[in-house]
Amino acid sequence: MAGEFWSDDTIAAIATPLGEGGIGIVRLSGPDAISLVDQAIVSPKGRRLASARDWSLNYGWIVDKHGDKIDEVIVSVMRAPHSYTREHVVEINCHGGLIPLQGVLERVLELGARLAEPGEFTKRAFLHGRLDLSQAEAVIDIIRSKTDRGHRLAMRQLEGGLSEPIRGMRRELVGLLAAIEAGIDFPDEVGDMEPEAIRQVIDDVSGKIAKMLATADTGRLLREGIDTAIIGKPNVGKSSLLNRLVRQNRAIVTDVPGTTRDVIEEIVNIGGFPFVVRDTAGIRRTEDVVEKIGVERAITLMEGADLVLCVVDGSLPLEDEDVSLLQQVQGKTAVLVVNKMDLGSAESDERYWEILPEVPIVRISAETGEGLEELEETIVNQVVQGEIDLTGDSLVVTRTRHKQALKEAAASLEAARRTLEMGLPQDLVAVDIRGAAESLGEVTGDTVRDEVIERIFADFCIGK
Ligand SMILES: Nc1nc2c(ncn2[C@@H]2O[C@H](COP(=O)(O)OP(=O)(O)OP(=O)(O)O)[C@@H](O)[C@H]2O)c(=O)[nH]1
Ligand SMILES: [Mg+2]
């Protein structure tokens, strides 16, 4: 798939966020990128872009068809194949405002460029073999990374940290297939392979896949963030807890029950993991229309969350409403946060556990900050299963798509092992091994279907 494609049109897009900035960039890629911009630019000394050196910066003005100036610019020229897409790429550095950027974009569109689709630059880089699919996915993960850890993982993936081991395993399987097929094609000269030799390769690759799969759940959380809902009765200190976690006064706190009505969302870095924390309306039966909607949202959020922080006021005895709320939390990944410890504790841990067993309890004071560190540790331990080494060069699977492909490869290898053990003909074993090799190829994009590729790049931003 990769490497065979060649585009005959030239695409253009604004590559920087829309808004005010020091500079903004209009980017073009394709066979006519240089000649097309050349028609739109005038330089003080009459220099032409066509004769500009590769990887050079060129000063000038972009002008409209009447010769009127649109913006003062610096244009970089990167000739094929030494560019992001491996095509001719031109980047026009404009003043960073909507009007100059749109003016310049419209001018190059008028001269024959086509507006790029989301992710189309990176898609071309993939189709020309400069990046494989997992590396292209790493590009968007770098842009969207929410913590240093997530960013480091994406960088490693961009450098081939995932593709290399996958390709290695694929080579092992393809080598095995060749050997099995030689035996099938030349039964007299070569003959069947030793089943034991086949099993060794299967076991080896299966072992590596299992190791990678063990990192997938944590990896996904690192990439996507951990959906965390703070829930509890009104006035127990949910908004105060959010403010503590984000270390600023984000949500309004008052002593009036029912203060928070809408959902307030913040991304918080806890122990290097991105938590998308949502503060919700206090859950109680209410006749207030606005508050009622807030309460419904809180309950919906709780249902879908990766982690629930259930807050109770520890200075007051449990009431029926607390009990029914705790019961709703049952079965979810949760931490019971017993707040207001500075005002004393009315109930024992055992009492809470009677209603909500097996959930870790942390006593804090959102007012003084006491207990917050312990809470943060508990939160991380609740969602991050097992030890994964994120400091070394170890590999972490961060995307569900990769996890799925690895699981399918593992299942095919398992089927191959069973076929082998049953003593069935080796061409049947070969079918499953080929299936496993294909599943592995989906990660790098070597064997992936077009729809999957479309879907991946559609998730990108315009101009990337
Ligand atoms: N003494 C003490 N007061 C607290 C503590 N945490 C919160 N409060 C107070 O409790 C009141 C309610 O706090 P909020 O954070 O607004 O409570 P909430 O759960 O968000 O309330 P709603 O939005 O109405 O559901 C405020 O007056 C806070 O100052 C605590 O740890 N100790
Ligand atoms: Mg609140």
Side-chain angles (χ1 to χ4, degrees):
M1 148 94 38
E4 293 159 18
F5 167 90
W6 206 253
S7 40
D8 52 14
D9 60 351
T10 296
I11 53 172
I14 298 172
T16 42
L18 297 182
E20 269 180 40
I23 58 166
I25 297 177
V26 173
R27 186 193 225 183
L28 293 91
S29 177
D32 304 324
I34 298 170
S35 57
L36 202 147
V37 177
D38 216 0
Q39 295 172 60
I41 194 168
V42 292
S43 86
K45 292 185 179 155
R47 290 204 187 101
R48 301 313 324 162
L49 277 190
S51 49
R53 270 183 302 114
D54 201 11
W55 281 81
S56 62
L57 294 176
N58 304 273
Y59 175 81
W61 293 85
I62 298 288
V63 295
D64 67 16
K65 61 180 171 219
H66 309 296
D68 291 334
K69 290 172 177 171
I70 298 173
D71 198 13
E72 182 190 30
V73 297
I74 291 179
V75 175
S76 53
V77 173
M78 291 156 273
R79 287 199 169 76
H82 306 293
S83 72
Y84 184 65
T85 58
R86 285 203 170 155
E87 305 174 331
H88 291 331
V89 169
V90 173
E91 287 179 3
I92 309 173
N93 291 257
C94 310
H95 289 108
L98 200 55
I99 299 295
L101 281 167
Q102 256 169 4
V104 170
L105 177 65
E106 272 162 28
R107 180 67 181 126
V108 296
L109 295 179
E110 186 181 86
L111 286 166
R114 169 172 68 72
L115 188 63
E117 287 161 22
E120 200 172 358
F121 291 90
T122 308
K123 186 177 173 184
R124 288 185 173 196
F126 163 68
L127 292 170
H128 290 147
R130 202 184 83 82
L131 299 171
D132 71 32
L133 205 51
S134 82
Q135 290 174 313
E137 288 170 317
V139 169
I140 195 70
D141 291 347
I142 289 170
I143 292 172
R144 300 223 173 116
S145 54
K146 298 180 186 80
T147 62
D148 288 346
R149 272 185 179 175
H151 176 246
R152 256 198 328 267
L153 287 179
M155 289 291 286
R156 209 178 291 154
Q157 190 172 317
L158 179 65
E159 289 165 351
L162 182 60
S163 325
E164 278 164 25
I166 294 271
R167 290 227 161 91
M169 291 191 279
R170 230 178 140 221
R171 270 196 300 275
E172 272 186 75
L173 295 181
V174 171
L176 175 62
L177 271 177
I180 294 176
E181 275 159 11
I184 295 167
D185 291 343
F186 305 101
D188 301 329
E189 298 87 332
V190 183
D192 268 2
M193 263 184 92
E194 279 299 319
E196 185 50 33
I198 299 179
R199 237 234 328 275
Q200 263 178 20
V201 178
I202 292 178
D203 285 350
D204 180 50
V205 176
S206 299
K208 287 178 187 159
I209 291 177
K211 247 183 161 169
M212 289 168 82
L213 278 174
T215 68
D217 290 338
T218 305
R220 180 185 69 83
L221 296 178
L222 267 172
R223 196 177 72 80
E224 290 178 4
I226 299 134
D227 253 314
T228 307
I230 304 181
I231 59 135
K233 274 195 331 183
N235 227 31
V236 294
K238 297 178 298 299
S239 300
S240 307
L241 172 60
L242 176 84
N243 290 345
R244 275 283 167 196
L245 290 172
V246 302
R247 291 175 171 78
Q248 54 171 312
N249 285 331
R250 173 68 178 79
I252 298 171
V253 169
T254 73
D255 55 7
V256 182
T259 302
T260 308
R261 294 176 158 223
D262 214 338
V263 177
I264 297 174
E265 176 183 313
E266 279 290 310
I267 295 179
V268 198
N269 182 341
I270 305 177
F273 289 86
F275 286 78
V276 183
V277 183
R278 296 194 178 93
D279 175 26
T280 63
I283 294 176
R284 63 170 170 185
R285 212 163 289 144
T286 171
E287 294 310 317
D288 181 308
V289 184
V290 180
E291 195 182 343
K292 214 170 178 168
I293 297 171
V295 170
E296 278 162 18
R297 283 195 186 161
I299 291 173
T300 316
L301 271 186
M302 171 168 75
E303 317 262 275
D306 294 316
L307 174 70
V308 175
L309 299 180
C310 179
V311 185
V312 294
D313 184 339
S315 68
L316 301 173
L318 281 173
E319 292 173 2
D320 290 350
E321 270 182 335
D322 294 295
V323 173
S324 78
L325 193 65
L326 292 183
Q327 283 166 342
Q328 285 194 55
V329 173
Q330 194 129 46
K332 303 208 157 52
T333 306
V335 176
L336 179 59
V337 183
V338 181
N339 190 31
K340 307 200 187 182
M341 72 185 288
D342 54 302
L343 299 180
S345 46
E347 304 280 4
S348 64
D349 286 4
E350 285 68 28
R351 175 75 185 109
Y352 293 121
W353 272 324
E354 269 173 31
I355 310 163
L356 185 59
E358 288 170 29
V359 163
I361 296 174
V362 184
R363 290 180 188 266
I364 68 158
S365 165
E367 188 83 9
T368 66
E370 210 176 335
L372 199 77
E373 254 175 58
E374 191 196 334
L375 176 61
E376 293 187 332
E377 263 171 45
T378 310
I379 287 175
V380 173
N381 288 337
Q382 273 304 86
V383 290
V384 181
Q385 258 91 45
E387 279 292 300
I388 62 167
D389 174 20
L390 298 166
T391 47
D393 281 332
S394 67
L395 198 148
V396 178
V397 175
T398 57
R399 280 197 181 240
T400 309
R401 191 182 78 79
H402 302 161
K403 179 183 173 185
Q404 204 51 40
L406 286 167
K407 275 172 92 170
E408 279 160 21
S412 295
L413 289 178
E414 187 49 42
R417 193 200 327 261
R418 274 200 309 272
T419 311
L420 194 67
E421 272 162 14
M422 286 191 287
L424 294 170
Q426 290 192 354
D427 51 351
L428 290 179
V429 182
V431 170
D432 288 323
I433 292 174
R434 195 170 299 116
E438 267 178 30
S439 296
L440 289 178
E442 285 176 20
V443 175
T444 49
D446 290 314
T447 58
V448 83
R449 291 191 317 273
D450 283 351
E451 307 97 80
V452 176
I453 294 173
E454 294 302 325
R455 211 172 325 127
I456 289 169
F457 288 103
D459 188 39
F460 274 58
C461 25
I462 297 234
K464 190 63 218 175

mmCIF file of all heavy atoms in Angstrom, residues 233-240 252-260 279 281-282 339-340 342-343 365-367, ligand 1:
data_model
loop_
_atom_site.group_PDB
_atom_site.id
_atom_site.type_symbol
_atom_site.label_atom_id
_atom_site.label_comp_id
_atom_site.label_asym_id
_atom_site.label_seq_id
_atom_site.Cartn_x
_atom_site.Cartn_y
_atom_site.Cartn_z
ATOM 1 N N LYS A 233 -23.693 14.137 47.383
ATOM 2 C CA LYS A 233 -24.833 14.982 47.734
ATOM 3 C C LYS A 233 -24.434 16.451 47.651
ATOM 4 O O LYS A 233 -23.249 16.774 47.663
ATOM 5 C CB LYS A 233 -25.256 14.673 49.182
ATOM 6 C CG LYS A 233 -26.215 13.525 49.302
ATOM 7 C CD LYS A 233 -26.872 13.498 50.682
ATOM 8 C CE LYS A 233 -25.991 14.081 51.781
ATOM 9 N NZ LYS A 233 -26.611 13.992 53.103
ATOM 10 N N PRO A 234 -25.393 17.352 47.614
ATOM 11 C CA PRO A 234 -25.050 18.776 47.624
ATOM 12 C C PRO A 234 -24.256 19.148 48.876
ATOM 13 O O PRO A 234 -24.450 18.549 49.935
ATOM 14 C CB PRO A 234 -26.417 19.463 47.642
ATOM 15 C CG PRO A 234 -27.366 18.471 47.070
ATOM 16 C CD PRO A 234 -26.847 17.133 47.470
ATOM 17 N N ASN A 235 -23.337 20.104 48.702
ATOM 18 C CA ASN A 235 -22.650 20.726 49.827
ATOM 19 C C ASN A 235 -21.609 19.856 50.539
ATOM 20 O O ASN A 235 -21.106 20.231 51.586
ATOM 21 C CB ASN A 235 -23.677 21.211 50.863
ATOM 22 C CG ASN A 235 -23.358 22.625 51.303
ATOM 23 O OD1 ASN A 235 -22.821 23.406 50.520
ATOM 24 N ND2 ASN A 235 -23.641 22.941 52.553
ATOM 25 N N VAL A 236 -21.282 18.691 49.984
ATOM 26 C CA VAL A 236 -20.298 17.836 50.656
ATOM 27 C C VAL A 236 -18.870 18.274 50.342
ATOM 28 O O VAL A 236 -17.924 17.830 51.004
ATOM 29 C CB VAL A 236 -20.483 16.347 50.270
ATOM 30 C CG1 VAL A 236 -21.814 15.818 50.792
ATOM 31 C CG2 VAL A 236 -20.381 16.148 48.764
ATOM 32 N N GLY A 237 -18.701 19.134 49.329
ATOM 33 C CA GLY A 237 -17.356 19.636 49.014
ATOM 34 C C GLY A 237 -16.804 19.116 47.690
ATOM 35 O O GLY A 237 -15.589 19.044 47.508
ATOM 36 N N LYS A 238 -17.666 18.803 46.747
ATOM 37 C CA LYS A 238 -17.204 18.282 45.451
ATOM 38 C C LYS A 238 -16.416 19.341 44.677
ATOM 39 O O LYS A 238 -15.343 19.073 44.148
ATOM 40 C CB LYS A 238 -18.405 17.821 44.595
ATOM 41 C CG LYS A 238 -19.183 16.682 45.212
ATOM 42 C CD LYS A 238 -20.375 16.282 44.367
ATOM 43 C CE LYS A 238 -21.404 17.398 44.191
ATOM 44 N NZ LYS A 238 -22.000 17.871 45.477
ATOM 45 N N SER A 239 -16.985 20.549 44.623
ATOM 46 C CA SER A 239 -16.310 21.618 43.885
ATOM 47 C C SER A 239 -15.020 22.009 44.593
ATOM 48 O O SER A 239 -14.010 22.308 43.947
ATOM 49 C CB SER A 239 -17.226 22.824 43.735
ATOM 50 O OG SER A 239 -18.403 22.453 43.040
ATOM 51 N N SER A 240 -15.035 21.974 45.925
ATOM 52 C CA SER A 240 -13.811 22.270 46.684
ATOM 53 C C SER A 240 -12.740 21.241 46.344
ATOM 54 O O SER A 240 -11.559 21.573 46.216
ATOM 55 C CB SER A 240 -14.082 22.226 48.185
ATOM 56 O OG SER A 240 -15.169 23.061 48.507
ATOM 57 N N ILE A 252 -17.145 27.301 41.402
ATOM 58 C CA ILE A 252 -17.690 28.139 42.469
ATOM 59 C C ILE A 252 -18.010 27.287 43.686
ATOM 60 O O ILE A 252 -18.630 26.223 43.582
ATOM 61 C CB ILE A 252 -18.971 28.857 41.997
ATOM 62 C CG1 ILE A 252 -18.653 29.781 40.820
ATOM 63 C CG2 ILE A 252 -19.615 29.634 43.140
ATOM 64 C CD1 ILE A 252 -19.893 30.352 40.146
ATOM 65 N N VAL A 253 -17.556 27.754 44.850
ATOM 66 C CA VAL A 253 -17.827 27.062 46.112
ATOM 67 C C VAL A 253 -18.626 27.994 46.999
ATOM 68 O O VAL A 253 -18.223 29.140 47.218
ATOM 69 C CB VAL A 253 -16.494 26.696 46.815
ATOM 70 C CG1 VAL A 253 -16.752 26.227 48.229
ATOM 71 C CG2 VAL A 253 -15.737 25.641 46.021
ATOM 72 N N THR A 254 -19.766 27.533 47.479
ATOM 73 C CA THR A 254 -20.492 28.315 48.485
ATOM 74 C C THR A 254 -21.087 27.341 49.485
ATOM 75 O O THR A 254 -21.080 26.126 49.273
ATOM 76 C CB THR A 254 -21.671 29.115 47.887
ATOM 77 O OG1 THR A 254 -22.726 28.204 47.574
ATOM 78 C CG2 THR A 254 -21.283 29.900 46.658
ATOM 79 N N ASP A 255 -21.620 27.895 50.570
ATOM 80 C CA ASP A 255 -22.252 27.008 51.553
ATOM 81 C C ASP A 255 -23.722 26.755 51.218
ATOM 82 O O ASP A 255 -24.450 26.158 51.988
ATOM 83 C CB ASP A 255 -22.085 27.560 52.981
ATOM 84 C CG ASP A 255 -22.603 28.990 53.082
ATOM 85 O OD1 ASP A 255 -23.203 29.491 52.086
ATOM 86 O OD2 ASP A 255 -22.413 29.613 54.138
ATOM 87 N N VAL A 256 -24.139 27.211 50.036
ATOM 88 C CA VAL A 256 -25.525 26.951 49.624
ATOM 89 C C VAL A 256 -25.590 25.618 48.886
ATOM 90 O O VAL A 256 -24.948 25.457 47.854
ATOM 91 C CB VAL A 256 -26.039 28.062 48.672
ATOM 92 C CG1 VAL A 256 -27.487 27.807 48.301
ATOM 93 C CG2 VAL A 256 -25.842 29.428 49.297
ATOM 94 N N PRO A 257 -26.349 24.664 49.413
ATOM 95 C CA PRO A 257 -26.458 23.394 48.699
ATOM 96 C C PRO A 257 -27.077 23.625 47.320
ATOM 97 O O PRO A 257 -28.001 24.408 47.187
ATOM 98 C CB PRO A 257 -27.402 22.550 49.567
ATOM 99 C CG PRO A 257 -27.399 23.217 50.902
ATOM 100 C CD PRO A 257 -27.125 24.669 50.661
ATOM 101 N N GLY A 258 -26.529 22.948 46.303
ATOM 102 C CA GLY A 258 -27.063 23.138 44.950
ATOM 103 C C GLY A 258 -26.333 24.229 44.193
ATOM 104 O O GLY A 258 -26.858 24.790 43.246
ATOM 105 N N THR A 259 -25.096 24.543 44.605
ATOM 106 C CA THR A 259 -24.333 25.596 43.942
ATOM 107 C C THR A 259 -23.980 25.209 42.513
ATOM 108 O O THR A 259 -24.184 25.977 41.572
ATOM 109 C CB THR A 259 -23.026 25.881 44.722
ATOM 110 O OG1 THR A 259 -23.359 26.257 46.048
ATOM 111 C CG2 THR A 259 -22.230 26.988 44.059
ATOM 112 N N THR A 260 -23.424 24.019 42.334
ATOM 113 C CA THR A 260 -23.010 23.589 41.002
ATOM 114 C C THR A 260 -24.209 23.018 40.274
ATOM 115 O O THR A 260 -24.914 22.162 40.797
ATOM 116 C CB THR A 260 -21.911 22.509 41.094
ATOM 117 O OG1 THR A 260 -20.876 22.983 41.939
ATOM 118 C CG2 THR A 260 -21.350 22.186 39.731
ATOM 119 N N ASP A 279 -16.685 17.908 37.697
ATOM 120 C CA ASP A 279 -17.435 18.230 38.909
ATOM 121 C C ASP A 279 -18.903 18.321 38.498
ATOM 122 O O ASP A 279 -19.230 18.854 37.446
ATOM 123 C CB ASP A 279 -16.946 19.570 39.469
ATOM 124 C CG ASP A 279 -17.760 20.021 40.664
ATOM 125 O OD1 ASP A 279 -18.335 19.155 41.357
ATOM 126 O OD2 ASP A 279 -17.804 21.246 40.903
ATOM 127 N N ALA A 281 -23.321 18.440 39.603
ATOM 128 C CA ALA A 281 -24.316 18.955 40.539
ATOM 129 C C ALA A 281 -24.534 17.925 41.643
ATOM 130 O O ALA A 281 -24.542 16.724 41.393
ATOM 131 C CB ALA A 281 -25.618 19.211 39.807
ATOM 132 N N GLY A 282 -24.705 18.411 42.859
ATOM 133 C CA GLY A 282 -24.969 17.514 43.979
ATOM 134 C C GLY A 282 -26.221 16.689 43.722
ATOM 135 O O GLY A 282 -27.221 17.198 43.228
ATOM 136 N N ASN A 339 -14.879 13.683 53.149
ATOM 137 C CA ASN A 339 -14.373 15.062 53.224
ATOM 138 C C ASN A 339 -14.693 15.709 54.578
ATOM 139 O O ASN A 339 -15.428 15.157 55.386
ATOM 140 C CB ASN A 339 -14.987 15.866 52.069
ATOM 141 C CG ASN A 339 -14.350 17.226 51.914
ATOM 142 O OD1 ASN A 339 -13.170 17.402 52.213
ATOM 143 N ND2 ASN A 339 -15.127 18.204 51.456
ATOM 144 N N LYS A 340 -14.136 16.869 54.751
ATOM 145 C CA LYS A 340 -14.340 17.717 55.941
ATOM 146 C C LYS A 340 -13.800 17.045 57.195
ATOM 147 O O LYS A 340 -14.416 17.126 58.272
ATOM 148 C CB LYS A 340 -15.831 18.093 56.103
ATOM 149 C CG LYS A 340 -16.429 18.734 54.822
ATOM 150 C CD LYS A 340 -17.693 19.526 55.086
ATOM 151 C CE LYS A 340 -18.338 20.001 53.773
ATOM 152 N NZ LYS A 340 -19.531 20.804 53.933
ATOM 153 N N ASP A 342 -11.487 17.964 58.910
ATOM 154 C CA ASP A 342 -11.153 19.001 59.902
ATOM 155 C C ASP A 342 -12.319 19.253 60.856
ATOM 156 O O ASP A 342 -12.144 19.820 61.930
ATOM 157 C CB ASP A 342 -10.759 20.309 59.189
ATOM 158 C CG ASP A 342 -11.831 20.772 58.195
ATOM 159 O OD1 ASP A 342 -12.162 19.982 57.274
ATOM 160 O OD2 ASP A 342 -12.344 21.891 58.351
ATOM 161 N N LEU A 343 -13.515 18.812 60.468
ATOM 162 C CA LEU A 343 -14.684 19.005 61.346
ATOM 163 C C LEU A 343 -15.018 17.740 62.145
ATOM 164 O O LEU A 343 -16.054 17.680 62.794
ATOM 165 C CB LEU A 343 -15.906 19.422 60.508
ATOM 166 C CG LEU A 343 -15.788 20.738 59.724
ATOM 167 C CD1 LEU A 343 -17.074 21.019 58.949
ATOM 168 C CD2 LEU A 343 -15.476 21.910 60.656
ATOM 169 N N SER A 365 -9.481 16.820 53.892
ATOM 170 C CA SER A 365 -10.156 18.091 54.082
ATOM 171 C C SER A 365 -9.852 18.945 52.860
ATOM 172 O O SER A 365 -8.710 19.337 52.640
ATOM 173 C CB SER A 365 -9.668 18.805 55.345
ATOM 174 O OG SER A 365 -10.096 20.154 55.294
ATOM 175 N N ALA A 366 -10.884 19.180 52.062
ATOM 176 C CA ALA A 366 -10.684 20.010 50.867
ATOM 177 C C ALA A 366 -10.385 21.443 51.300
ATOM 178 O O ALA A 366 -9.821 22.222 50.550
ATOM 179 C CB ALA A 366 -11.918 19.956 49.974
ATOM 180 N N GLU A 367 -10.763 21.756 52.537
ATOM 181 C CA GLU A 367 -10.537 23.097 53.076
ATOM 182 C C GLU A 367 -9.049 23.322 53.367
ATOM 183 O O GLU A 367 -8.481 24.320 52.947
ATOM 184 C CB GLU A 367 -11.369 23.251 54.351
ATOM 185 C CG GLU A 367 -11.395 24.625 54.931
ATOM 186 C CD GLU A 367 -12.432 25.525 54.264
ATOM 187 O OE1 GLU A 367 -13.244 25.010 53.471
ATOM 188 O OE2 GLU A 367 -12.404 26.732 54.524
HETATM 189 N N1 LIG B 1 -14.715 22.749 57.058
HETATM 190 C C1 LIG B 1 -14.706 22.349 55.800
HETATM 191 N N2 LIG B 1 -15.551 22.899 54.906
HETATM 192 C C2 LIG B 1 -15.531 22.467 53.631
HETATM 193 C C3 LIG B 1 -14.648 21.437 53.220
HETATM 194 N N3 LIG B 1 -14.855 21.232 51.905
HETATM 195 C C4 LIG B 1 -15.835 22.087 51.517
HETATM 196 N N4 LIG B 1 -16.247 22.834 52.565
HETATM 197 C C5 LIG B 1 -17.300 23.847 52.568
HETATM 198 O O1 LIG B 1 -18.534 23.224 52.249
HETATM 199 C C6 LIG B 1 -19.354 24.088 51.466
HETATM 200 C C7 LIG B 1 -19.773 23.397 50.174
HETATM 201 O O2 LIG B 1 -18.635 23.196 49.350
HETATM 202 P P1 LIG B 1 -18.737 22.942 47.802
HETATM 203 O O3 LIG B 1 -17.381 22.568 47.341
HETATM 204 O O4 LIG B 1 -19.434 24.066 47.141
HETATM 205 O O5 LIG B 1 -19.695 21.680 47.792
HETATM 206 P P2 LIG B 1 -20.358 20.936 46.550
HETATM 207 O O6 LIG B 1 -20.404 19.496 46.900
HETATM 208 O O7 LIG B 1 -19.698 21.301 45.288
HETATM 209 O O8 LIG B 1 -21.822 21.519 46.601
HETATM 210 P P3 LIG B 1 -22.913 21.624 45.417
HETATM 211 O O9 LIG B 1 -22.273 22.245 44.244
HETATM 212 O O10 LIG B 1 -23.956 22.484 46.002
HETATM 213 O O11 LIG B 1 -23.412 20.242 45.155
HETATM 214 C C8 LIG B 1 -18.537 25.355 51.266
HETATM 215 O O12 LIG B 1 -18.927 26.294 52.219
HETATM 216 C C9 LIG B 1 -17.104 24.895 51.495
HETATM 217 O O13 LIG B 1 -16.294 25.940 51.956
HETATM 218 C C10 LIG B 1 -13.769 20.865 54.197
HETATM 219 O O14 LIG B 1 -12.955 19.980 53.922
HETATM 220 N N5 LIG B 1 -13.850 21.348 55.453
#
